[in-house]
Amino acid sequence: MPGKNFVLRSTPQETAAIADAAVQRLARHLVAELLLESKGEMGRALGTLHVLDHLRRAGERLQRDVAVAAMRAGAGYPQLGSACGMTRQGARHRWPGISAHTDHVPTEILTMTSPTRAFDVLLVEDDVADAMLIEEALAERGTRNLVQVTDGLAALEHLRAPDTVRPDLIVLDLNMPRMNGRDLLRVLKTDEELRTIPVVVLTTSSAPDDVVGAYSSHANAYVTKPVNLAEFEQAVQSIDAFYLDTATRPPRD
């Protein structure tokens, strides 16, 4: 069913029939205008298929533009999904990150106080999909200067570079190539210059040895990644809200 902000005068079946007829008319018009010649029925069918493929891509581009416009007007992913007959997660998968291009706060965002300044977050995560979800969840909390690296060595190189801004928060995965999160955590918490930076372990592991090991190495918190997409996003935003909004942070150097 469509969202409460608009009402269709036809049933879904009637709307589909009207849309199909309109696309068919447009396709015929474009074929007549663009197709210079066609060798028989197969050639004309292939030409029509070519035109329909371009129409599909044009529709996808227009959908994204309209989705961004809806977000700017105050809609969230639940409303976008409802308008397109899909779930909230489906809408987020189709248009990842569009909330970062909007001027208004989406209606789905948790009712937390938004930070008053841009915070610097170092994400140490080698999973591309998880990194994208974390970035989107942080963006919905406010402006973030997010730097992502894919292993512990890259994190240390970044942190120890002379022009690096000290991050307000480090979000750390455990299982990574080269230097894993366990080894990086031990290095961070024994380094005089880096050990006061809050480090939250965000990982798939719930093994007791990993939990105890992280806290023994002075991790500030340990969070197991939820499987559910909405719960994953909420976990990231809760980390952000506490460490960047509620907790008093050490002064920057």
Side-chain angles (χ1 to χ4, degrees):
M1 294 294 291
K4 295 180 180 179
N5 293 323
F6 68 95
V7 178
L8 294 176
R9 292 185 295 178
S10 60
T11 66
Q13 294 77 12
E14 291 170 338
T15 301
I18 292 169
D20 287 350
V23 170
Q24 187 177 52
R25 289 194 299 272
L26 178 57
R28 287 174 177 170
H29 173 75
L30 290 175
V31 167
E33 184 173 336
L34 299 175
L35 200 61
L36 295 178
E37 61 177 296
S38 60
K39 296 182 179 179
E41 184 177 346
M42 183 180 69
R44 189 167 187 83
L46 291 175
T48 303
L49 187 63
H50 176 75
V51 166
L52 287 171
D53 183 63
H54 277 277
L55 284 176
R56 175 187 60 80
R57 283 182 276 175
E60 290 173 354
R61 290 191 295 270
L62 288 173
Q63 268 198 330
R64 180 177 176 82
D65 290 344
V66 175
V68 169
M71 277 278 196
R72 285 178 174 158
Y77 280 113
Q79 289 76 29
L80 298 186
S82 177
C84 297
M86 64 177 71
T87 64
R88 170 184 182 275
Q89 291 87 347
R92 178 178 289 281
H93 179 74
R94 178 175 292 186
W95 303 295
I98 64 172
S99 59
H101 302 288
T102 65
D103 302 319
H104 295 274
V105 179
T107 56
E108 68 175 306
I109 292 181
L110 301 177
T111 55
M112 301 174 181
T113 304
S114 297
T116 56
R117 71 169 177 85
F119 290 114
D120 294 281
V121 178
L122 175 62
L123 173 61
V124 190
E125 170 66 72
D126 66 327
D127 187 288
V128 176
D130 283 355
M132 183 182 72
L133 291 173
I134 292 168
E135 181 177 4
E136 289 179 2
L138 290 176
E140 291 186 0
R141 285 275 305 143
T143 303
R144 296 291 178 272
N145 299 320
L146 181 70
V147 174
Q148 183 210 349
V149 294
T150 56
D151 60 65
L153 288 179
L156 288 176
E157 290 171 2
H158 171 76
L159 289 166
R160 290 171 173 168
D163 57 345
T164 294
V165 176
R166 179 187 178 90
D168 297 287
L169 175 67
I170 296 174
V171 179
L172 175 64
D173 189 22
L174 288 184
N175 300 309
M176 295 177 294
R178 298 207 301 174
M179 178 186 284
N180 62 39
R182 302 169 186 83
D183 294 336
L184 174 61
L185 182 59
R186 284 191 285 269
V187 172
L188 291 175
K189 292 305 183 179
T190 55
D191 187 298
E192 289 286 340
E193 296 183 357
L194 303 176
R195 65 185 181 185
T196 58
I197 302 172
V199 179
V200 175
V201 174
L202 180 62
T203 184
T204 56
S205 174
S206 59
D209 287 347
D210 284 334
V211 177
V212 173
Y215 283 116
S216 297
S217 296
H218 307 291
N220 296 85
Y222 190 105
V223 179
T224 302
K225 293 177 180 177
V227 176
N228 178 274
L229 182 61
E231 293 175 359
F232 186 106
E233 179 184 282
Q234 184 174 353
V236 173
Q237 292 184 343
S238 296
I239 292 169
D240 181 279
F242 179 76
Y243 283 98
L244 300 183
D245 230 10
T246 304
T248 300
R249 297 173 302 280
R252 291 189 176 190
D253 296 335

